Amino acid sequence: MGKKVLIIDDSSTMRKIVTRSLRQAGLDFDIILEAGDGVEALQLLQTEAVDIILSDINMPNMDGMEFLRQKAANAALKRIPVVMITTEAGADILSEAKSLGAAGSIKKPFTPDQVSEIIGPLL
Amino acid sequence: MNWEQNIIAATTEIFSTMLMMEVTPGAPLQERNANYKQSITGMVGIAGLFKGMLAIHAPADVAMAITTNFLGLEVDSINADVKDAFGELANMLGGSIKASLSDNSRDIQLSIPSAVCGEEYTLDYQPRNHCTTMPFKSAEGIFLVELQLEQQV
Amino acid sequence: MLGFSGDIKGMLRIHCPDRVAMAITGSLLGMEVDQIDDDVNDAIGEIANMVAGGLKVNLAKHNKSIELSIPTAIGGKFYTVHSLARAERVTIPFAMAAGQMLVELEFVSAK
């Protein structure tokens, strides 16, 4: 159906791992876009329409929280769901992400099943 | 603190979820292994309430099999993907150990990970006590997870 | 090498050939050193620790706090060190009578 996902993580390894997990979760995205931080992601989103965004929290230049803030302030991007992927599973951090509009979160380590459970309903 | 149990819990969880590999812990090494041949080591520093280093060591063939499972890519040499994968594994193992030590994510922090590999190299930590090394067996071979940690006063 | 974390996270590494490492250890311990042994590993680890300690003090003056991990000494005939993440890196060579030493700092701002 031509679904597009954007993966934001400063580690290209982590982006590969997430890509592999999406495939194993049976989530067949036609296009998988990648960005290394929030700044790159916002740039990419000026020209690319995506169905869902998966984002790391700790990143250089612009972290996941600031990305959520800027995305929420942009009318064109507001309704795209964002799922945070993080090891920093502190309740304080996750509730802050939620208050900034995150649709959900995936805690590392994760299985493809968990990925599909959280992302599937958002598509 | 039972470090062996902490290492086993972190390693089996990460390998069963992120890599879908069954790994079986062996008996902790009595003496730490300092010499590595045709191997790769992923490592990350631990700082804060506890300070130390977490490392995962694997022979080249085991490391390539682990990377294939982890990244979903075929690899036939110790290339940048394998090195990145081992840094990321050390990072995840460190994150899991960190979470088991304190509920407050600010108490203990990880450095950035790095990987060392080569035909022959040695690794030595200082001080040499407080070190636990656990071997794990997988279908592809044996790898080691090593934790060197001291509590700060 | 030695990891650190806090407002800035990263790795500090000191690289030098065997003979430079032995010369540094000889000066530090005040004795003749003619092989790579525990003393050399400890001495170079300690140099990394002290350089990182100096970094910690200087960063504190700029209101950045970091905590240090423990040093690890790596030796061998043929190995490579690889770092991931898109870290910033500064490498400074230092010349001394016995040869050259590199001090490498690799870091990312945590927030």
Side-chain angles (χ1 to χ4, degrees), chain A residues 42 45-46 68-79:
Chain A
L42 288 172
L45 288 168
Q46 287 178 1
L68 282 173
R69 251 176 235 121
Q70 302 227 2
K71 180 200 149 268
N74 183 325
L77 305 177
K78 225 157 129 179
R79 29 148 235 98

Side-chain angles (χ1 to χ4, degrees), chain A residues 5-8 11-12 15-16 19 32-36 40 44:
Chain A
V5 60
L6 170 62
I7 302 169
I8 315 173
S11 157
S12 67
R15 299 198 297 265
K16 283 175 189 147
T19 302
I32 297 178
L33 298 167
E34 297 182 21
E40 274 184 33
L44 205 66

Side-chain angles (χ1 to χ4, degrees), chain A residues 33-105:
Chain A
L33 298 167
E34 297 182 21
D37 58 43
V39 175
E40 274 184 33
L42 288 172
Q43 253 161 22
L44 205 66
L45 288 168
Q46 287 178 1
T47 53
E48 298 279 351
V50 303
D51 299 284
I52 190 162
I53 299 168
L54 311 180
S55 178
D56 185 18
I57 292 182
N58 289 317
M59 292 180 289
N61 298 326
M62 186 192 292
D63 68 11
M65 295 297 184
E66 184 56 28
F67 171 76
L68 282 173
R69 251 176 235 121
Q70 302 227 2
K71 180 200 149 268
N74 183 325
L77 305 177
K78 225 157 129 179
R79 29 148 235 98
I80 306 172
V82 183
V83 173
M84 311 309 284
I85 298 185
T86 180
T87 38
E88 299 273 347
D92 47 340
I93 294 169
L94 291 182
S95 74
E96 188 188 343
K98 196 151 236 176
S99 73
L100 290 172
S105 63

Side-chain angles (χ1 to χ4, degrees), chain B:
Chain B
M1 187 74 70
N2 186 336
W3 301 122
E4 294 163 22
Q5 286 308 317
N6 274 16
I7 295 173
I8 292 172
T11 309
T12 50
E13 186 194 14
I14 288 162
F15 274 76
S16 66
T17 55
M18 301 295 293
L19 293 98
M20 284 162 291
M21 280 172 76
E22 286 305 319
V23 297
T24 320
L29 300 195
Q30 294 299 312
E31 205 169 313
R32 68 172 297 267
N33 188 19
N35 298 295
Y36 294 91
K37 282 186 177 154
Q38 302 284 1
S39 296
I40 178 163
T41 295
M43 53 203 285
V44 68
I46 299 167
L49 275 188
F50 286 82
K51 63 197 279 185
M53 186 70 90
L54 181 131
I56 173 167
H57 313 277
D61 53 339
V62 180
M64 289 188 279
I66 286 174
T67 303
T68 296
N69 282 318
F70 199 28
L71 306 190
L73 304 169
E74 282 302 323
V75 288
D76 52 11
S77 67
I78 301 295
N79 58 18
D81 282 327
V82 180
K83 294 170 192 173
D84 283 343
F86 267 68
E88 191 58 53
L89 271 177
N91 206 20
M92 281 187 187
L93 289 165
S96 175
I97 297 283
K98 171 186 141 151
S100 72
L101 293 176
S102 169
D103 290 332
N104 185 343
S105 59
R106 305 262 170 240
D107 282 352
I108 303 162
Q109 299 191 317
L110 302 181
S111 75
I112 55 176
S114 82
V116 175
C117 63
E119 276 167 28
E120 196 187 337
Y121 58 92
T122 61
L123 276 151
D124 194 3
Y125 303 95
Q126 152 197 17
R128 295 187 177 79
N129 46 359
H130 306 116
C131 183
T132 310
T133 311
M134 295 294 300
F136 288 87
K137 207 160 92 181
S138 72
E140 286 79 11
I142 290 173
F143 62 90
L144 302 177
V145 178
E146 183 174 35
L147 181 64
Q148 162 88 26
L149 212 54
E150 46 181 300
Q151 188 159 13
Q152 301 303 292
V153 280

